[in-house]
Amino acid sequence: MKGPLFYSKILLFGEYGIIKDSKGLAIPYNFYNGALKIDENQTEITQKSNKSLKAFATYLNQLMANEPELVQFDMEALNKDVEAGMYFDSSIPQGYGVGSSGALVAAIYDKYATDKITVLENLNREKLLVLKKIFGRMESFFHGTSSGLDPLNSYLSLPILINSKDHIEPTGIPSQKEEGKGAVFLIDSEMVGETAPMVTIFMDNLKNEGFRNMMKSQFAKYTDAAVENFLKGDFKTLYQNTKELSKIALSHFKPMIPEKFHHVWQQGIDSNDYYLKLCGSGGGGYILGFAPDYDKAKEALKDYKLELVYKF
């Protein structure tokens, strides 16, 4: 058995802000993917994945009992496949902010949910919100709490515009220009990030009125503007707004930025060669970069591993 591929995702804008209702924009990242598989040759990695799926199946059984009207799974088929050694064969790095658990959740829903909402039907706002809620509940097994956006992005394999918690829609993004100078890229911090502790730091910060005001007056303002710029292809203004977001991250999200990147982060702001942002919850994994001239950024960051995401 080998199931369909589900891709990783990148939240270009809205990290943490979507918890507080700023806009967000998530795009599929086809460089990494995963699929459910059963094969004869068990390895340590496949056994570990299978063990995790076993625990996940138990959790889903409980979810069905708690919220029967939300989602139902063919547990008989799922348990049978898990017993047969099913695992999630994935190239998506874990703890890197590119949605490894999201792709797994999407794959399980796609194969085992009964009466599922499919990608082929007319996906109106109501259906998208139902999917997001189901995926949020499913992914909570991995993170404690989840917005459901990572699995939604992986399941639909479409860019998703988050207008607010209750208003999400698939969207089109400007097509890539292979000859373009500007780029979105990833830097490998070579450290694994843990989502739950980072989210806890953020939630604790929200108890502080000054931090809440900053999120509303600065973070949301520049995030909303950057999303708008990106969708319209206004890249000149996009860089200005991304620079502001980079400054805000360095001032207010420092615990989420690996210490060895504090200097590199500031260097980008000072030189205007690139601007760095958190990718996912931070704490390690990937760091997201925006560069007006990718060649310049590559030169400035030659000591680090870079991956190109999008050219414009």
Side-chain angles (χ1 to χ4, degrees):
M1 171 200 132
K2 185 179 189 314
L5 290 176
F6 288 89
Y7 296 106
S8 53
K9 73 88 196 60
I10 291 174
L11 186 63
L12 284 185
F13 301 102
E15 70 290 351
Y16 290 107
I18 51 176
I19 297 174
K20 291 303 293 168
D21 261 5
S22 80
K23 282 191 176 185
L25 180 65
I27 61 170
Y29 184 42
N30 298 357
F31 188 73
Y32 295 119
N33 56 57
L36 291 167
K37 264 190 188 177
I38 299 175
D39 62 29
E40 300 298 300
N41 308 317
Q42 293 270 306
T43 67
E44 202 179 318
I45 291 168
T46 64
Q47 281 171 351
K48 193 178 166 191
S49 172
N50 176 255
K51 196 176 168 188
S52 172
L53 281 181
K54 201 170 275 186
F56 190 36
T58 306
Y59 170 83
L60 293 179
N61 208 24
Q62 193 57 52
L63 175 64
M64 278 176 17
N66 293 347
E67 299 187 64
E69 72 299 333
L70 182 67
V71 65
Q72 290 291 313
F73 299 97
D74 182 348
M75 290 308 295
E76 198 181 325
L78 175 55
N79 288 328
K80 190 176 155 208
D81 288 343
V82 167
E83 284 309 314
M86 182 171 73
Y87 64 97
F88 191 56
D89 184 26
S90 170
S91 65
I92 308 169
Q94 292 189 350
Y96 262 64
V98 285
S100 55
S101 58
L104 168 57
V105 165
I108 292 284
Y109 177 83
D110 180 63
K111 187 159 177 60
Y112 299 103
T114 56
D115 198 23
K116 68 181 181 188
I117 296 169
T118 71
V119 182
L120 300 171
E121 59 196 87
N122 176 23
L123 285 169
N124 57 25
R125 189 169 141 188
E126 280 66 27
K127 284 179 185 171
L128 283 174
L129 285 174
V130 170
L131 269 177
K132 180 174 174 284
K133 187 177 179 185
I134 291 168
F135 289 148
R137 292 283 195 280
M138 288 174 73
E139 201 182 29
S140 292
F141 170 75
F142 300 98
H143 293 321
T145 52
S146 161
S147 68
L149 278 168
D150 285 9
L152 185 65
N153 198 278
S154 191
Y155 185 63
L156 300 179
S157 216
L158 290 167
I160 293 172
L161 172 63
I162 303 111
N163 293 298
S164 67
K165 271 207 270 286
D166 301 323
H167 184 189
I168 53 174
E169 56 187 319
T171 187
I173 58 174
S175 50
Q176 295 207 52
K177 293 189 174 66
E178 288 310 318
E179 71 291 348
K181 273 186 155 187
V184 179
F185 61 93
L186 296 172
I187 303 180
D188 186 348
S189 73
E190 300 186 34
M191 296 162 64
V192 170
E194 293 270 341
T195 299
M198 296 296 123
V199 173
T200 303
I201 292 170
F202 177 74
M203 294 316 250
D204 283 346
N205 285 343
L206 281 179
K207 293 171 187 166
N208 175 314
E209 194 185 347
F211 187 83
R212 283 201 307 275
N213 289 340
M214 178 281 299
M215 286 299 293
K216 200 178 273 184
S217 63
Q218 294 176 50
F219 188 90
K221 175 182 137 186
Y222 291 117
T223 298
D224 292 0
V227 168
E228 211 62 24
N229 301 152
F230 189 86
L231 293 177
K232 285 181 177 160
D234 177 3
F235 297 116
K236 195 177 171 202
T237 320
L238 172 75
Y239 294 127
Q240 293 163 10
N241 288 315
T242 309
K243 181 176 184 174
E244 294 305 322
L245 287 170
S246 190
K247 287 183 195 168
I248 289 168
L250 196 54
S251 298
H252 300 280
F253 293 86
K254 226 170 192 164
M256 288 82 160
I257 301 170
E259 208 169 311
K260 64 175 182 176
F261 282 94
H262 290 180
H263 169 68
V264 184
W265 205 284
Q266 185 65 54
Q267 207 170 281
I269 293 166
D270 294 342
S271 68
N272 294 314
D273 286 343
Y274 57 86
Y275 308 116
L276 301 183
K277 287 176 78 272
L278 293 174
C279 183
S281 55
Y286 284 120
I287 291 165
L288 198 52
F290 288 75
D293 184 330
Y294 188 49
D295 288 337
K296 255 186 170 176
K298 274 197 299 195
E299 183 50 40
L301 296 164
K302 60 178 184 291
D303 297 336
Y304 301 93
K305 279 194 229 162
L306 269 52
E307 279 177 32
L308 182 65
V309 173
Y310 185 92
K311 282 204 95 168
F312 42 74

